[in-house]
Amino acid sequence: MSAELVWLLLAGIGAGLTGSVAGLASLVSYPSLLAAGLPPVVANVTNTVAMFGVTGGTIAGSRRELRGQGRRIAWLALASFLGGAVGAALLLTTPAEAFEAVVPWLVGAGAILLLLRDRIRVWAAALATTRAPRRVPLGHERRRTVARGFAWGAAVFVLGIYGGYFGAGVGIIALAVLVLERTEALAITNAVKNVATGVANGTAAVAYVFFAPVDWPAAVALGVGAVLGGFLGPAIVRVAPERPLRWLVGLAGLGLALHLATQ
């Protein structure tokens, strides 16, 4: 194995760890492919194909957190699949420059949203207490629940488009969105996020396998490393304190936004 492929294998392990823990796999993998000499478009599609390995590793390593999440994941996976298909079609048929120009802003906004999660929840609770309490009929409550489900599905659909098109930082944006959906352990939200974004990534990867210039030696080396790193990542999330980890992820997201803005 050449030194270049060994480098990409190690980069894949690092990308798998950061992707499963923080949703920042592309902070490691995409620049590594550029450093290996791949042109930007080739690096982008090769990265998408290789990073599907993170999904396989994280699902295997997150079985404890994913128990009882079947219906939720099925709904989010459908929205993510449709979004990923649209994103892949956009990449294959339109110039990437316009979309890449807004990527740093999207990643930065997701990082800020994650950092301000608790403050946003306090604001929302304060707003709710200012309204006069009233009894909601059961039928209205069911319709409200369905409407909320469609709203979160729409958000994941949009994230799927972004993930299928470019994908850098999609994990942190998805994590920032999903932590606002419900109150639960960060490890569970992170596991659900990994599946949802992985579906969009996998959908785009299938399209790129047939219609885009994938560098296969680089994709295999990076992908194998990503599987290993993705498998180890959930164990770190499981034992890490929630608040420091969330702040670490958010600050890393701001770093990624700055990194993308200066490319």
Side-chain angles (χ1 to χ4, degrees):
M1 182 181 290
S2 68
E4 181 181 279
L5 293 182
V6 172
W7 157 253
L8 290 175
L9 176 66
L10 295 175
I13 294 175
L17 285 170
T18 57
S20 61
V21 172
L24 294 170
S26 291
L27 180 62
V28 177
S29 59
Y30 185 67
S32 297
L33 289 167
L34 294 176
L38 274 66
V41 172
V42 177
N44 187 21
V45 298
T46 301
N47 182 60
T48 299
V49 172
M51 286 302 98
F52 187 62
V54 176
T55 302
T58 53
I59 290 176
S62 301
R63 287 173 293 179
R64 181 192 307 179
E65 288 76 16
L66 293 174
R67 290 194 189 103
Q69 300 292 326
R71 293 183 62 183
R72 177 188 183 192
I73 289 174
W75 175 242
L76 295 178
L78 175 60
S80 189
F81 167 78
L82 296 174
V86 173
L90 287 173
L91 180 65
L92 293 171
T93 57
T94 62
E97 290 82 359
F99 195 81
E100 289 182 15
V102 302
V103 166
W105 299 97
L106 293 172
V107 175
I112 292 171
L113 183 62
L114 188 62
L115 291 172
L116 295 180
R117 184 200 68 178
D118 291 341
R119 179 62 59 185
I120 292 172
R121 284 178 173 169
V122 170
W123 291 337
L127 179 62
T129 58
T130 63
R131 298 175 179 174
R134 61 188 181 90
R135 188 172 183 178
V136 179
L138 181 59
H140 289 182
E141 181 61 30
R142 288 175 177 171
R143 286 194 292 272
R144 183 181 297 175
T145 300
V146 171
R148 282 199 299 265
F150 275 105
W152 288 115
V156 172
F157 171 74
V158 173
L159 290 172
I161 295 175
Y162 172 56
Y165 190 88
F166 185 65
V170 66
I172 191 171
I173 301 173
L175 184 60
V177 169
L178 290 177
V179 294
L180 298 176
E181 179 193 6
R182 62 184 68 185
T183 301
E184 63 186 2
L186 184 64
I188 296 176
T189 308
N190 190 65
V192 172
K193 175 268 297 180
N194 287 334
V195 176
T197 56
V199 170
N201 181 275
T203 303
V206 170
Y208 297 158
V209 164
F210 292 101
F211 302 111
V214 177
D215 186 309
W216 283 107
V220 170
L222 197 64
V224 170
V227 171
L228 296 175
F231 180 78
L232 296 174
I236 297 175
V237 177
R238 195 173 292 140
V239 300
E242 191 271 349
R243 185 180 177 86
L245 179 61
R246 180 163 49 83
W247 274 84
L248 176 63
V249 172
L251 293 175
L254 291 176
L256 175 59
L258 180 61
H259 170 79
L260 293 172
T262 56
Q263 292 303 296

